Amino acid sequence: MDEDEVHADRVAAILDAVEAEDAARVAELLEPLHAADIADLLEQIGAADRRALLALWSGEVDGEILSEIDESIREEVIESLPREVVAEAMRELDTDDVVDILEDLDLPQQGLILDALEDADRVAVQQAMGFPEESAGRLMQREVVVAPEHWTVGEAIDYLREVEHLPDQFYHVILTDPRMKPTGYVTLGRLLSSRRDVRLKDILEDSFRTIPATESEADVAYMFNQYHLISTPVVDATGRLVGVITIDDAMNVLDEEHEQDMLRLAGVGDDSSLSDGVMATARQRLPWLVVNLFTASLSAFVISRFESTIASLVTLAALMPIVASTGGIAGTQSLAVAVRALATRSLTSANAKRVVLRELVGGLLNGLALAFLLGLAGTLIFGDWKLGLVLGAAMITNQLVAAMGGVLVPLGLHKLDLDPALASGTFVTTLTDVLGYLAFLGLASLVLL
């Protein structure tokens, strides 16, 4: 039995226990699961089953589960839980996780959670919430491990053993000057492998860099990915240490951006998920369907200009979609590569000309290959070498258009400070459809009639 079948059987067993209101059985089935798996389960079942499950098992919901739940149902889950359960769950989390949860809640629920926190944690969370959305200040955790510049390894180790509270996860001991400005950091591995009399300043990591609290999350994620960081200090406008960002948070941002790019390319909204309701799903998708309706009208207009050509040679009507469809696929291929390259900053103004030229030559080669196949098929099937010639020439033209459009459209939107993933797909598809029909029918008018 594969993993999917095991999971399906477990979900069915849990839902049976919920229906029977057997709280002990529900607890028995959920107890061995990881918090992320429980969150997935809550996302996959329907709203009514979710409420019934939480009513039987609410006392076991902890902060880790709440932080793993998708934003689309997190508010609903929190509303279904007793206040004391939510309060206790929030106290278990680091400040960055609390901030991540608060961002997606209404003000009344934010107040409920803030009231449940310890005074120091509440102040830290409120300060983090004061930073711009999707900034390093929102992403960082306030729990940091700090040591003065003049300490030795032995002093740092003694401090770590004696201090009452340490973050659940940390990778560096950050060195600061008397004004609390970070000057470097030491990895735990170097700390534990060095002699006690070694000064911390002598075993600093070369990768040290700081991030302003107002830096965008996207830039933070890029920095972590580009320089292979594990964690890095966050500073305020005066350069004073205010928190730290760890690799797990940076990678979450990368994952979210990748997911958003995929959803935007498909025109289904930034936050679409399987747990969305019918109305939410329709509302997210309708605007781009309306846009596509208007862009498709351009193709229809081009076709209407060649009514007499199509009427004279009905075969053209059957062959038109081949040229347009193949161009659309080629454009989507180039577009996907370009959008991802822009997101990872591997496509820049410095290498844009080389990338465009590469796509142009690649499109030409593919166009020649497809033109040969389609032209030969058109000649053999319809017994008309001129029709094969028109098909081949139109295919080459549309492949070149697709290759160029797939790169130039997202580059142009990026230059205008617009998200290339948001509208590129519609523009490129329209471009290949319109010019594909225009090339094919225009050439047919010149050559065949």
Side-chain angles (χ1 to χ4, degrees), residues 302-341:
V302 170
I303 294 172
S304 69
R305 299 296 90 189
F306 294 93
E307 284 182 359
S308 58
T309 302
I310 297 172
S312 301
L313 192 57
V314 180
T315 305
L316 297 176
L319 297 174
M320 283 192 305
I322 298 176
V323 176
S325 175
T326 310
I329 293 172
T332 301
Q333 290 173 335
S334 296
L335 176 63
V337 173
V339 168
R340 193 63 194 144

Side-chain angles (χ1 to χ4, degrees), residues 43-365:
E43 293 164 15
Q44 292 167 11
I45 62 178
D49 290 330
R50 188 159 50 236
R51 287 191 294 270
L53 171 58
L54 292 172
L56 290 173
W57 194 71
S58 62
E60 302 300 321
V61 176
D62 58 19
E64 191 175 357
I65 294 173
L66 290 181
S67 68
E68 292 283 354
I69 291 174
D70 190 83
E71 298 94 2
S72 60
I73 65 164
R74 186 182 286 154
E75 186 171 354
E76 174 199 328
V77 169
I78 290 177
E79 286 178 348
S80 302
L81 297 173
R83 290 193 172 190
E84 59 272 15
V85 172
V86 176
E88 183 59 33
M90 291 299 104
R91 295 190 192 104
E92 299 171 0
L93 295 174
D94 290 331
T95 52
D96 59 326
D97 293 322
V98 176
V99 170
D100 183 52
I101 291 174
L102 285 181
E103 286 180 323
D104 301 309
L105 301 180
D106 294 333
L107 288 176
Q109 287 190 323
Q110 289 184 0
L112 171 66
I113 290 175
L114 288 171
D115 290 342
L117 300 176
E118 302 292 339
D119 291 342
D121 289 338
R122 184 186 310 115
V123 171
V125 169
Q126 288 175 326
Q127 288 176 344
M129 293 291 287
F131 289 106
E133 291 186 14
E134 298 185 352
S135 67
R138 293 283 187 98
L139 194 63
M140 69 182 180
Q141 65 182 55
R142 302 296 290 243
E143 298 86 2
V144 295
V145 180
V146 179
E149 291 178 298
H150 61 270
W151 271 12
T152 63
V153 167
E155 289 173 311
I157 290 176
D158 292 341
Y159 167 75
L160 293 176
R161 288 173 177 168
E162 294 169 4
V163 70
E164 186 176 352
H165 297 292
L166 286 174
D168 290 337
Q169 283 187 337
F170 69 98
Y171 308 98
H172 292 114
V173 175
I174 301 171
L175 273 59
T176 60
D177 65 16
R179 294 169 295 176
M180 279 301 291
K181 293 185 177 182
T183 58
Y185 54 45
V186 178
T187 64
L188 293 180
R190 291 289 297 275
L191 184 71
L192 295 175
S193 63
S194 300
R195 299 190 314 274
R196 288 183 61 86
D197 60 343
V198 173
R199 295 185 307 168
L200 293 179
K201 290 201 303 186
D202 294 334
I203 55 172
L204 295 178
E205 287 294 304
D206 295 335
S207 62
F208 172 75
R209 61 192 66 237
T210 61
I211 293 177
T214 54
E215 193 80 54
S216 72
E217 286 184 354
D219 289 338
V220 171
Y222 170 77
M223 188 178 297
F224 269 78
N225 191 49
Q226 179 74 5
Y227 302 113
H228 311 294
L229 302 178
I230 301 174
S231 72
T232 193
V234 180
V235 297
D236 62 15
T238 65
R240 289 167 56 89
L241 179 68
V242 291
V244 65
I245 295 175
T246 54
I247 189 170
D248 56 322
D249 293 316
M251 293 305 100
N252 284 339
V253 173
L254 279 180
D255 288 342
E256 289 171 4
E257 291 207 329
H258 178 61
E259 181 181 338
Q260 285 182 351
D261 284 347
M262 291 179 62
L263 293 173
R264 287 172 176 173
L265 280 170
V268 294
D270 292 357
D271 303 313
S272 295
S273 74
L274 290 178
S275 55
D276 290 340
V278 174
M279 291 304 297
T281 300
R283 188 168 57 250
Q284 289 166 348
R285 300 179 185 184
L286 183 59
W288 284 110
L289 292 175
V290 172
V291 171
N292 190 66
L293 183 65
F294 283 105
T295 57
S297 299
L298 293 175
S299 299
F301 174 77
V302 170
I303 294 172
S304 69
R305 299 296 90 189
F306 294 93
E307 284 182 359
S308 58
T309 302
I310 297 172
S312 301
L313 192 57
V314 180
T315 305
L316 297 176
L319 297 174
M320 283 192 305
I322 298 176
V323 176
S325 175
T326 310
I329 293 172
T332 301
Q333 290 173 335
S334 296
L335 176 63
V337 173
V339 168
R340 193 63 194 144
L342 285 169
T344 57
R345 306 188 188 185
S346 54
L347 175 57
T348 65
S349 56
N351 65 353
K353 185 180 295 185
R354 178 176 60 81
V355 173
V356 170
L357 181 61
R358 186 200 70 175
E359 291 295 324
L360 184 62
V361 174
L364 176 61
L365 293 176

